[in-house]
Structure formats: C-alpha cells, structure tokens
Amino acid sequence: MIRELWSKFVAPIDGPLMAFLGLLILLALITMASASPARLTTLLAHLAIALTIMRIVAQIPPQRLMYLALPIYVVGVLLLVAVALFGDISKGARRWLDLGFIRIQPSELMKIAMPLMLAWYFQKRESMLRLREYFIATLLLLLPVALIVRQPDLGTSILVLSSGFFVIFFAGLPWKIILGLGAAAASAAPFAWHLLHDYQRQRILTLLDPEKDPLGKGFHIIQSTIAIGSGGILGKGWGQGTQAQLEFIPERHTDFIFAVYSEEFGLIGNLALLVLYALLIGRGLLIAANAATLFSRLLAGAITLIFFTYAFVNMGMVSGILPVVGVPLPFVSYGGTALVTLCLGIGILMSIHKNRMLVQK
Amino acid sequence: MEFSNAQEGLEQFNRRIAIAGGFVLICFTLLFARFVWLQVIQHDYYQTRAEENRISLIPVTPNRGLIVDRNGEVMARNYSAYTLEITPTQVVNLEDTIDGLAEFITIEAKDRKRFKKLLEESKRFDSLPIRTRLTDEEVAKFIARRFRFPGVEIKARLFRQYPRGAFASHVLGYIGRITERDIGQIEEEGVETNYRGTDHFGKTGLERHYEMELHGTSGFEQVEVDAGGRAIRTLARTAPVPGNNLTLTLDVKLQEVAEKAFGERKGALVAIEPATGGILAMVSVPNYDPNLFVDGITTTDWRDLNDSPEKPMVNRALNGAYPPGSTFKPYMALAALTLGKRRPEQLLADPGFFNFGGHMFMDDKKGGHGMVDMYKSIVQSCNTYYYVLANDLGIDNIAKFMAHFGLGSRTGVDIEGESEGVLPSPAWKKQRFKKAEQQKWYAGETISVGIGQGYNAYTPIQLAQAIATLANDGVMYRPHLVNHITDTKSAQKTYIEPQPLRTLPLKQEHIDVIKNALVGVNKEGTGARAFAGAEYVSAGKTGTAQVFSLKGGQYRKDALKQELRDHSIFIAYAPAEQPKIAVAVLVENGGFGAQAAAPIARQVFDYYLLGKLPPGAAPADEAAKEADE
C-alpha cells in the first residue's frame, strides 16, 4: 500500500535530473550553513515549496501547458505594464507590484512564460516556418524584455531575452540571421552604451578596472576574486573562509554565494560544481532531443539553456569576467522566487520526459 | 514531403542541441580556466590580499614618561579613564547622535563646543572624544544602549595629569591633541610609525622639548578584523615600551617657595646651581593650569588665557626681555677692570649728573654720591660713575664683553622658544632698523646702555646665567632643567652631564673685586634691608628697569599707573664664599629692585640654604601631613 503510493508519487520524477538537483541542493545547504546559518530554516521552507511545485508541474502533461502558454504570456505582459504604471520602487528600480495581499515580481514569471509562449507559437506554425514567423516571435520576445529593461533590471532582462532567443534558435533561425544579428549587435554596442543607465555603465567599467574604486564600486568584485583566488586548489575548508566569515564578501548568501563556496572548497569544489551543472544541462538537452513535439523540444531546450545562462553569468560575474548583474547561482543562491522558477523549469523538463512517447502511443 | 520536412526539422533541432551542448562546454571550460588562473596561478597574490584584509595592525599607545623633581616628587603623570568617542565618518547625523547620547550621559555645552573644535582640527578618520572621564554608571548606561549608536565607542585611555595644577606650568608645559604642525615635526623626525596610535603631543615646556623621550615606543596588536573593521580576536601582541622618565634638577619645594613669594605680582625668577647650570627653580607668574589643555581646551578657556592682559601664557623667564637696569653695573665694572680702563680704587667725583655734550644724565641721588670708587659705585649703585665709564669704554667694547656672559643670545635651556633679547651695538642697530637715520648709533645711547637702560633687553634666564657664571668665577654652564633621563625598560639613567660651555677670559683678582662689592650690596648697600640678619653671606645687585620714560621729570610711584611703573630686578648668589645658588628675580612694575625683587631672593635663599620657610607659608604636603596627625 505505502509502496504503491510511493511509486505513484515518484512516477513523474526523472531519476538522473532529480539526482543532480539533489546534489546541487546538498551543496546549497552546506554552503548556506557556512555563509549564513541563520537562513537555513527559511531555505528549507523555500525548498519544500519549490520541490512541491516541481512535483506538481511534473505531473502536468505538456499539452496542458500549451493551453496555458498564451494566457500566462498575456497576463505576464499586462502585469509588466501595471508595474511600469503603479509599481513599487525599491532600491531605485520599479520591479514589484503590490496586489494588497502579496507583492509579486512579474518579470520573474516571464522567465518561464516567455519560452512557453514562443514554443507554443512555433508549434502552431510548425509546418510553415518562414522569416515572418521568426520576426513575429522576435516581437513577442522584445515587448516584455523592453518593459523589464525599463524597470530597470538588467539581470532579469538578460535571462528573459536569452530564454526567448534559445527558443527561436532551436526553432531553426537561419545561421545567416544569427550571424547578422551578432554583427549588428557588435556594431550597435557603442550606441547601446548611451542607452545604459549610469550604474550599468559603471558596472562594465568596474569589470574592466575594479581597483579604480576599491572601496566603492569595485569592492564587490575585488573581494569576491580575492575569496576565490585565496581558496586555492583545495579550499580553506568549510566554515574557514576568512573572506566569507569576516563578511568581506558582500551579498554572500545571495548573488555572491559562489565566492563563499569557492573560497572554502577551492578549485576541486568548483570543478565538482561545474560538472554537476554540466550533467544537469546535459540531461536537459537529452530530454529536449528525445521530446515528442516541437513545443516540448523547444521548451525543454530553452529551459535547459536558461539554467546554463544562470550558472555561467553568475560564476562569470563573481569571478570577475562578466559585469555585475543581478543573476543568482541556480539552486544555490538564497531567494525563494528564483528557486521556485528554477524548480518549475525542472518540473516541466520532467513532465516532457515522461510524455516523450506521446506520439508513438 | 511533410514527413521528410519534419524529419529534416528534427535533424536540424538535434544538430542545434549538439551545438548548444558544445557551447555550454566551451563556456564552462572558459570558467574553469578562469578559476585555474585565480586559484592556482594567482593564488599566492590573492592569499596575501585575503590575509591583509583579515589582519590589521593596531598600534598600542605607550604610557608617557613621568616627570619628577630632583627629590622624586611627581609633577606630570598619567591616569586611565573611560572616554566616549565618536568616529564622525561612521555617523549619519552627528547632532542627532550627540542628542541621543545626551539623554543618558551628561554632555554639557562646553563638551559640544570642544568636540566641534576637535572636529575642525582632526584628521578624517579619527575618533574624537565627546566626553572624557566617564563614571562607571555612565559606562554601564552606554553599553546597554550601544546598538543604537553605530560609530560611538567607549575607550579606556590614558590621560596626562599635572597633579599640582598651575604650579610650575611654564616649566612642564602641556600636551594637547596632535595638529598639522606636530605632524610636520613627527615627519621630520621620521617617527610616523611610532606615532600611528598616538593622539597627543607635547606643545610647550619640557613636554615639548623631551617629546621623543617621553613618548615611548608604540606596541602593536595583530588583530583579526571583519569587513566593518571591528576586531574579532587578537592574534599577536608586541607590548609598547613606556616613555622615559625625566628627573629634573628643579626642586619642587624651592619652586613653591619662589612662586608663593611673588604673591599676586607678575614676574619671573630663575635659580641656578652655579657649579652645574642645573635650574633649581624657574618661575613665571601668572601661570595657567596645563590640565585644561589635555582633553582639548574649550574656546572660552583659550580666549580667557590668551586675551588676559596679564599674559599668563607667556613664559616670562624665557620670553620676557627686560632692561637689566643697575644689575648691569657689576659687569660694566668687570669690563673696565679687564680692559684696564679703571683701577678699583680710582676715584670719581660725582656731582649728581653727567653733562654729555649739553645733555644732562642725572644721578638718582640728588647732589650725587660724592667721591666714588668702584666698590662704592656698585654698593650704592652710582649712575654717574657708569655714565663716565660707558663713555670711556665705548659701545663696541661693552657689547663684546657682555656677549661673553651670554647676554643677548639664547642660553640653550631645554625648553623651546627662548627669546634672544637685545645686546645693543651699532651693528645690531643697523640690522634692527630700516631707515638710515634710525640706523645711526649716537654716542648718547652708549651712556644709557652703561646703566642697563636704553636698548638693553635680556631675559631673566640670561640674567641668571650671567650671575651664576660670575659666582662660578667665570666658568659658564648651559642652564638646564633635566638632571637625568631614566629608561623605563632597562632602568638605565642617562645624566645630562654638565659640561662647561666656556671659561671667560677674566682675571680672578678682577672677579674678586666685583664679588666683594656684590657682598657689600647685601651688607651695607641697596640690598642690605632685604638681607638683614641672614645667617649666611650673600652677594647681590639691585636694579630698576624703566618701563616709562620720564623725560627728565621726577619719578613718583603712586602717580603712575601700575603697568607703567618700573620693573624691579635683583640678581644674587649665596653663600658668597662657595655659591650654591644664583638667582635672577624680576617683578614687573614692582618699582625699585630693593623693594620687590630682593625680598623674594632672600626667601628663596633662606629656604634653599637653611630649609627655612617664610613666615606663614608651609608647603602643601607638610600642611597635609599636619592635618593628618
């Protein structure tokens, strides 16, 4: 009886994906216990909620998700408009919408709604993909991205933009256009520079020369590279990172938690983490390759590459090769919303994998 | 067709999945390369930087050396007290913070004012005291509310204390918070590291001259700090070495007798041991309480001290320059003997004036002193004798001879800022004035100089050094206040070995003539009244320095305002046969030397030579002892 319930409970869960996720969560708990032990309880609560959502989503077949794609997208865009009009300002950015009983950040929703919408759109137009379709898809992508950029929230807009781009890429956007866009982006960079906010420009300048303002804008990046570098090959040991324990690393439980991890577990620990992410991503790409429909292929591929984007941008910025943008380390950084979004993505992947045989059936 | 289309689409998709996979691997390899760069290749560099972050060297201020008198009585010491300090850079709103603290700690208006002044003078990252000497109760109250006041701390600090207050303040000087000027000196000495944790510096007096001795060597604490700079734990500690102690040549009890002898009068006194140059007492009154300066003086106190017409901040013994008046005469006589211009027994008829080219130089005794020889000229202080002598010697000879006695040049005493005084000569006048007609030396001016008036201006310490040199038969020492410096660590004593500066080119028989006359002054001359009944033989010379030129009019003391009255001067030594103490006393606006200055010298001698206290005066500690019994 219990065994039956258990097997029913675990049925939609993908073993390898769950194993990699479990190991990542374990690392997250170990690191949080060192970086900010007081937050462990809340982290466990976040995990419980996120995993529950993952389990629920894993049971929803992709076809159902398809029906939800358009409504979620429309609601998401409307909420973003509402944020632009009535949103709360916190730390100089208008990101939050106060609905009276709950404060939500609609841009977070777009990280999932975006690939869902585009995958749905390409599925609808499957047999007649021409340039027009890619163009419309691009418009669908740029509308919410523009709203998020305006908030301003560079981190989230990069994630939403890339999530949409991945769908378009997997949908077969011709290489000529990709290369053309790349060239155009490169040549437009000087103009884009003027469109950036002062603080965003500053972050890029800081990346190029953090020592220019060591106690001000360069402080984050200097302290995190010191933490990583001083960790050495084997690391200083759990709870022994002086940069972390003496609070030299800012935001050490959220965006900069990688510096804490890296200082205490060294190059070996970093390698383990990279391998773990690579395995998770590899599993995701495999699921995408084996998915039944174009919708699920595109969705699975895009979601997997979002995980990659999170991981790469975060580790890149903490180690000082990318500008500082607010992107957490996936499954490790403290933060309920991001965790829920990420686990939602895992749930979708699991659902797609369970339903891969749909057509054959 | 559709099937192949779909097949083609699937193949394309799988290709792109593979490409994405490859891209992910490339990016992760890039990250890994970055980690290898940071954690393997650059590891040592970042390791060092992390250590630098973590470990902070905190200087530990050494205890300042003590200052004690020749008998070991403490004149400057330290005590530990709690201060409430604010680091302005860590405080958002200073006013609010101070108001908040004032709710449970007494912060008076003067504390706020002083803090404001410190704020203006301070370096950027200093923590500055808003209150000093907190009570235990106040400390407890603050600690309970500490979390409300970031940037505010309680610190245990050592404070300088001068236990006798204003007593001997011009000798001791005071310390105050380090200012730009002090930093300049610290850099000049190359001792910046040693002063990293120090916030006080000697400003005047011995505290300034012996700053480097008194300061000591800072210790260092290696502390682990967090990003906020708060110390987490101490890793290592090098103890500070306390500053060296100064033992003075000064005798506190003698100093007390001398200061009391002045009463309410202004003036200066320097008493020197002729055989060593050691200063036994150095008085400048009125004085001030150096304790006021230690925590940072309030603006009101500072203004009171500076603007007072009594000028308590001026060390008259070193910076007051006064005409020596008749105390100049013994040296004039000695010059005459040395240069062969007079024999002691040579007589001069004094009609009561000296007519020099139609200008009458008056004697102070109407009708004159009659027939005057050298002895009588000194004992009775006959002006006419010296008018004629000055004219015979000439200004150049006078200036050259007086320079031997150190008049008009700094003595080199161990206190900063000594004045040079003025030894007048044609050369000096040429340098002093700009206009050609002012630069010219007039023969009449030599006559005034001959009786110690005119441009003559010497500091009391110069007068004391000169009489000590005469008492010591022409062997001259540098006057000094410190007898020895004790190294607090090794207890080794470094003595200030008194080396004679020079031996004056004088003949003993000439010196004896003058000394004999000086004994006569106190026995039967102008000093006789002050020294009546003394149990020892003393030598002295009275003098009166003109403040106000009477232009031939009659000097009437009561008709003149106090500040225009003459200064009373007395130089003396005793015992005459083997001098143990030489003294120069100056009482501002005291009138004739015999009236005001000579009795002070008598009290000083009586105490120093016989241990006799002036009637009605008992040193504070003996009075306290009696009260205990």
Side-chain angles (χ1 to χ4, degrees):
Chain A
M1 171 69 178
I2 291 172
R3 181 174 291 182
E4 208 170 284
L5 272 177
W6 174 249
S7 60
K8 207 172 174 189
F9 176 73
V10 298
I13 292 172
D14 177 54
L17 214 47
M18 194 60 225
F20 304 144
L21 180 63
L23 286 173
L24 280 171
I25 287 170
L26 192 66
L27 285 184
L29 289 170
I30 290 170
T31 312
M32 193 61 71
S34 165
S36 179
R39 290 189 168 83
L40 267 181
T41 337
T42 336
L43 176 62
L44 286 170
H46 287 168
L47 280 169
I49 296 170
L51 290 176
T52 308
I53 289 176
M54 178 197 83
R55 170 61 187 76
I56 293 167
V57 173
Q59 211 167 10
I60 303 173
Q63 301 91 306
R64 284 265 198 85
L65 292 174
M66 262 182 79
Y67 299 130
L68 292 172
L70 186 60
I72 290 179
Y73 176 80
V74 171
V75 169
V77 171
L78 287 177
L79 287 174
L80 282 176
V81 172
V83 166
L85 295 177
F86 322 109
D88 286 353
I89 296 178
S90 120
K91 292 183 190 169
R94 199 185 284 273
R95 295 176 186 175
W96 296 85
L97 193 63
D98 197 339
L99 297 182
F101 59 99
I102 193 170
R103 257 159 57 96
I104 58 162
Q105 200 177 346
S107 53
E108 195 62 36
L109 180 69
M110 284 318 284
K111 288 178 192 164
I112 296 295
M114 197 68 240
L116 212 54
M117 173 65 195
L118 292 184
W120 171 82
Y121 177 72
F122 284 117
Q123 172 80 64
K124 283 276 165 231
R125 318 288 285 181
E126 187 176 7
S127 52
M128 37 194 157
L129 289 182
R130 299 215 174 72
L131 277 182
R132 200 177 79 100
E133 275 65 44
Y134 295 113
F135 183 69
I136 289 170
T138 308
L139 287 183
L140 289 171
L141 171 59
L142 290 183
L143 175 66
V145 167
L147 285 167
I148 299 169
V149 167
R150 269 203 52 200
Q151 287 181 351
D153 186 345
L154 204 58
T156 309
S157 40
I158 285 172
L159 288 171
V160 173
L161 181 70
S162 48
S163 72
F165 173 76
F166 294 144
V167 178
I168 300 173
F169 168 74
F170 284 127
L173 182 67
W175 283 108
K176 278 184 285 185
I177 295 178
I178 295 174
L179 294 176
L181 279 176
S187 58
F191 300 102
W193 179 256
H194 292 287
L195 296 175
L196 289 176
H197 281 261
D198 273 344
Y199 84 96
Q200 292 164 339
R201 280 185 220 166
Q202 203 57 57
R203 281 178 183 180
I204 294 169
L205 290 176
T206 301
L207 176 75
L208 298 176
D209 184 12
E211 301 287 346
K212 201 172 146 195
D213 186 8
L215 290 174
K217 299 174 182 80
F219 185 80
H220 283 50
I221 210 68
I222 290 173
Q223 294 305 336
S224 63
T225 44
I226 290 174
I228 297 171
S230 65
I233 296 173
L234 296 173
K236 295 178 186 171
W238 180 80
Q240 304 294 308
T242 56
Q243 289 285 102
Q245 303 304 325
L246 300 171
E247 304 179 12
F248 286 97
I249 302 172
E251 318 268 330
R252 64 189 190 288
H253 59 282
T254 55
D255 287 357
F256 281 76
I257 198 166
F258 176 65
V260 177
Y261 174 82
S262 194
E263 184 185 20
E264 297 189 348
F265 299 107
L267 188 66
I268 301 294
N270 289 354
L271 185 64
L273 190 67
L274 281 177
V275 168
L276 216 46
Y277 279 127
L279 287 172
L280 186 84
I281 291 162
R283 180 68 188 165
L285 291 178
L286 197 71
I287 289 172
N290 291 330
T293 61
L294 180 61
F295 170 75
S296 36
R297 281 199 294 273
L298 295 180
L299 190 58
I303 286 173
T304 306
L305 286 195
I306 289 175
F307 296 159
F308 160 73
T309 311
Y310 268 101
F312 180 69
V313 171
N314 180 273
M315 289 188 276
M317 88 183 184
V318 174
S319 62
I321 53 173
L322 291 176
V324 174
V325 289
V327 172
L329 187 65
F331 308 107
V332 180
S333 281
Y334 181 84
T337 320
L339 195 61
V340 166
T341 312
L342 288 161
C343 286
L344 199 80
I346 295 278
I348 292 174
L349 284 182
M350 287 177 172
S351 153
I352 288 170
H353 192 57
K354 284 296 145 189
N355 294 287
R356 66 185 182 279
M357 300 308 191
L358 193 77
V359 174
Q360 281 88 332
K361 272 178 189 169
Chain B
M1 185 62 200
E2 198 164 85
F3 173 79
S4 76
N5 222 354
Q7 188 63 33
E8 204 178 289
L10 202 60
E11 270 172 22
Q12 187 198 39
F13 178 79
N14 285 344
R15 264 203 311 279
R16 293 210 165 182
I17 286 285
I19 288 165
F23 182 70
V24 167
L25 285 181
I26 289 169
C27 285
F28 278 10
T29 311
L30 205 70
L31 275 180
F32 188 71
R34 172 70 175 169
F35 298 153
V36 170
W37 170 254
L38 291 176
Q39 299 187 299
V40 180
I41 297 163
Q42 294 275 73
H43 171 68
D44 288 348
Y45 168 74
Y46 286 112
Q47 179 68 34
T48 314
R49 294 218 31 194
E51 288 297 289
E52 282 169 5
N53 261 346
R54 177 173 83 97
I55 294 165
S56 172
L57 278 179
I58 296 180
V60 185
T61 319
N63 286 4
R64 198 173 172 84
L66 305 178
I67 302 177
V68 301
D69 90 328
R70 65 190 298 143
N71 301 314
E73 182 170 336
V74 176
M75 300 178 77
R77 64 177 174 210
N78 312 301
Y79 71 96
S80 176
Y82 290 110
T83 61
L84 186 63
E85 303 197 359
I86 304 180
T87 309
T89 42
Q90 290 175 16
V91 170
V92 187
N93 188 324
L94 258 180
E95 283 300 314
D96 288 356
T97 304
I98 297 174
D99 288 343
L101 291 167
E103 283 168 20
F104 54 94
I105 285 174
T106 323
I107 295 175
E108 291 173 29
K110 70 167 186 175
D111 294 319
R112 287 175 190 254
K113 273 188 195 157
R114 185 180 58 198
F115 183 79
K116 232 172 156 179
K117 193 158 164 264
L118 287 176
L119 192 62
E120 285 161 13
E121 294 166 355
S122 73
K123 292 167 274 172
R124 217 179 122 219
F125 297 106
D126 268 355
S127 83
L128 304 169
I130 175 82
R131 254 296 304 280
T132 52
R133 283 170 248 204
L134 295 179
T135 62
D136 290 347
E137 200 192 334
E138 285 174 318
V139 171
K141 277 180 177 172
F142 175 77
I143 286 173
R145 296 169 177 80
R146 177 198 257 152
F147 65 94
R148 272 175 51 200
F149 298 99
V152 183
E153 292 174 280
I154 294 233
K155 285 193 178 158
R157 290 216 188 247
L158 278 175
F159 282 90
R160 194 61 157 176
Q161 193 192 28
Y162 306 100
R164 304 275 301 262
F167 179 72
S169 54
H170 285 287
V171 173
L172 295 171
Y174 54 86
I175 62 165
R177 294 186 72 88
I178 289 181
T179 58
E180 284 303 318
R181 203 190 65 177
D182 305 326
I183 292 170
Q185 205 199 328
I186 289 167
E187 281 167 2
E188 218 169 275
E189 300 269 350
V191 289
E192 295 97 320
T193 338
N194 200 25
Y195 274 82
R196 257 187 58 195
T198 306
D199 38 30
H200 287 89
F201 199 82
K203 301 288 181 177
T204 64
L206 291 171
E207 292 276 28
R208 176 167 164 84
H209 189 88
Y210 290 96
E211 171 62 36
M212 297 300 147
E213 293 287 347
L214 289 165
H215 178 267
T217 310
S218 282
F220 281 92
E221 238 173 25
Q222 253 194 7
V223 207
E224 188 172 75
V225 293
D226 67 9
R230 282 171 296 260
I232 306 294
R233 63 196 164 116
T234 303
L235 303 171
R237 186 186 151 97
T238 318
V241 180
N244 297 335
N245 295 339
L246 302 183
T247 303
L248 305 187
T249 56
L250 196 100
D251 182 328
V252 161
K253 296 219 175 79
L254 183 69
Q255 174 87 10
E256 191 171 342
V257 167
E259 285 199 17
K260 282 192 176 150
F262 274 85
E264 294 297 303
R265 292 171 294 185
K266 294 175 287 179
L269 175 145
V270 179
I272 294 178
E273 188 175 59
T276 61
I279 295 175
L280 300 168
M282 187 161 96
V283 177
S284 172
V285 281
N287 42 22
Y288 58 91
D289 184 355
N291 291 305
L292 290 175
F293 290 86
V294 176
D295 311 342
I297 190 166
T298 62
T299 323
T300 342
D301 285 344
W302 176 246
R303 209 182 307 129
D304 286 352
L305 284 173
N306 255 333
D307 297 353
S308 164
E310 310 245 284
K311 302 213 180 309
M313 297 303 293
V314 174
N315 185 354
R316 289 166 161 82
L318 264 54
N319 296 107
Y322 308 89
S326 301
T327 64
F328 203 56
K329 288 171 183 167
Y331 306 104
M332 285 291 292
L334 191 55
L337 292 172
T338 307
L339 297 169
K341 294 280 182 188
R342 290 286 186 280
R343 280 171 290 111
E345 64 281 5
Q346 214 171 325
L347 290 170
L348 176 95
D350 169 21
F353 59 87
F354 173 55
N355 185 339
F356 181 74
H359 188 285
M360 303 291 269
F361 287 88
M362 300 303 293
D363 209 299
D364 56 350
K365 188 173 173 187
K366 252 193 175 159
H369 295 266
M371 295 306 284
V372 182
D373 65 357
M374 188 171 277
Y375 178 84
K376 192 176 170 189
S377 78
I378 291 175
V379 171
Q380 295 192 3
S381 201
C382 168
N383 281 353
T384 310
Y385 186 90
Y386 290 94
Y387 292 145
V388 180
L389 177 58
N391 195 37
D392 288 354
L393 282 172
I395 187 63
D396 288 321
N397 277 332
I398 296 173
K400 211 174 137 196
F401 185 82
M402 295 307 165
H404 289 311
F405 277 94
L407 295 173
S409 53
R410 295 188 181 95
T411 63
V413 68
D414 39 4
I415 288 185
E416 249 70 26
E418 188 188 354
S419 296
E420 222 170 13
V422 175
L423 174 59
S425 69
W428 165 81
K429 211 180 172 193
K430 208 162 186 177
Q431 204 192 352
R432 168 69 179 76
F433 294 103
K434 278 189 199 122
K435 289 184 191 155
E437 65 266 32
Q438 286 177 320
Q439 286 181 336
K440 190 167 179 280
W441 185 269
Y442 297 96
E445 291 174 330
T446 309
I447 315 287
S448 302
V449 166
I451 58 155
Q453 309 291 354
Y455 293 116
N456 275 315
Y458 309 115
T459 60
I461 195 169
Q462 284 170 356
L463 297 180
Q465 187 189 30
I467 188 65
T469 306
L470 184 65
N472 208 31
D473 294 332
V475 182
M476 188 183 225
Y477 286 93
R478 180 179 68 88
H480 57 274
L481 282 156
V482 171
N483 178 262
H484 62 268
I485 300 167
T486 313
D487 188 304
T488 31
K489 210 174 176 191
S490 62
Q492 206 172 9
K493 291 175 178 174
T494 312
Y495 283 88
I496 311 291
E497 289 292 345
Q499 294 291 334
L501 279 177
R502 54 181 176 264
T503 304
L504 272 46
L506 301 170
K507 284 207 175 113
Q508 190 60 43
E509 49 177 299
H510 296 156
I511 293 173
D512 290 341
V513 169
I514 305 301
K515 280 183 147 183
N516 184 43
L518 293 179
V519 170
V521 170
N522 284 2
K523 211 177 349 183
E524 51 175 331
T526 48
R529 239 176 84 188
F531 282 87
E535 292 165 43
Y536 47 87
V537 181
S538 64
K541 181 72 194 81
T542 56
T544 307
Q546 286 169 9
V547 174
F548 182 63
S549 169
L550 294 168
K551 291 189 180 134
Q554 197 63 11
Y555 181 87
R556 278 179 57 232
K557 188 181 147 192
D558 35 336
L560 272 171
K561 278 196 210 156
Q562 165 110 36
E563 62 266 30
L564 294 176
R565 284 183 206 159
D566 290 347
H567 298 324
S568 171
I569 305 171
F570 191 66
I571 55 170
Y573 62 88
E577 53 283 7
Q578 195 168 31
K580 284 188 182 160
I581 178 168
V583 69
V585 186
L586 181 131
V587 181
E588 280 188 11
N589 316 114
F592 293 115
Q595 279 173 339
I600 294 176
R602 168 78 192 266
Q603 288 186 18
V604 167
F605 286 179
D606 275 2
Y607 177 76
Y608 191 70
L609 300 173
L610 311 169
K612 229 165 86 179
L613 287 169
D621 55 352
E622 273 178 33
K625 219 182 278 168
E626 278 162 24
D628 279 350
E629 282 162 6

